[in-house]
Amino acid sequence: MNVVFLGPPGAGKGTQAEVISKERGMEHISTGDLLRGAVERGSPRGRKAKEYMEKGLLVPDELVVDIVAERVSRDGSSGSFLFDGFPRNLAQAKALDETLKRLKDRVDVVFYFAVSEEIAVRRLSGRWMCPACGANYNERYIPPKEEGICDRCGKVLTQRQDDKVETVKKRLKVYREQTADLIDYYEERGVLRRVDADLSVEETHKEINKTLTSLRKAR
Ligand SMILES: [Zn+2]
């Protein structure tokens, strides 16, 4: 079974993807990880991707798609994948369908993590990280023992520029604009399921599991 998780920053899909992929023995495909892996291995595609990343540019669709296709094809049609934040747009979605079709496979279900602006802002703007050891914190969910200080190494925590309130609002708006036709595409194919991502991690998890279990039975 191949599953896609879509949703704006702050929707919590990364957290769910990690848990669900482990529970269900699915391969967790995050393009960020795949790209970093390709860059580290220094494969031809990885070297190309690196040029864009170093300039702070988005890696072009074709290259991202090739790297994903390479990974998916490696396991053949026996694979069961959870795509986390991929595809990002209609062109990538169509390319993914082509790749899976060649393997006589398909996207079975797409979960769209619908999150309100208020909740996304609250989640993201509360994020802090340690510049020294990389530990992550959240004011509400995983606060450090001492405010502003890393539990692990005692350094002063910092906030990513990306996580400041105004930036978060802008990112949400851009995300909605860029994914509207992608959502329509999956909706027309009847595979889209909306998840209420304003709920707690546990409740959202339960909702996704219920759908996955019923789909598995129906398959
Ligand atoms: Zn630290």
Side-chain angles (χ1 to χ4, degrees), residues 9-10 33 44 84 115 148 163 169 190 203:
D33 291 346
D84 173 7
V115 66
D163 290 344
K169 284 188 179 168
E203 284 169 311

Side-chain angles (χ1 to χ4, degrees), residues 130 132-135 137 150 152-155:
C130 174
C133 74
Y137 298 91
C150 180
R152 277 204 236 153
C153 70
K155 289 270 166 19

Side-chain angles (χ1 to χ4, degrees), residues 30-42:
S30 130
T31 41
D33 291 346
L34 277 187
L35 283 173
R36 275 190 292 278
V39 169
E40 273 164 31
R41 281 196 312 278

Side-chain angles (χ1 to χ4, degrees), residues 72-128:
V72 169
S73 308
R74 205 168 76 204
D75 282 359
S77 54
S78 62
S80 172
F81 298 103
L82 197 167
F83 298 94
D84 173 7
F86 176 89
R88 264 185 179 282
N89 53 45
L90 196 53
Q92 291 189 354
K94 287 181 174 166
L96 176 62
D97 282 347
E98 287 295 308
T99 303
L100 290 173
K101 209 169 156 190
R102 273 202 299 276
L103 300 165
K104 299 195 171 24
D105 212 340
R106 59 178 175 156
V107 169
D108 295 280
V109 59
V110 177
F111 288 97
Y112 180 72
F113 286 62
V115 66
S116 65
E117 184 178 271
E118 192 198 338
I119 299 278
V121 166
R122 193 190 296 166
R123 285 190 189 136
L124 294 177
S125 62
R127 295 207 299 201
W128 293 83

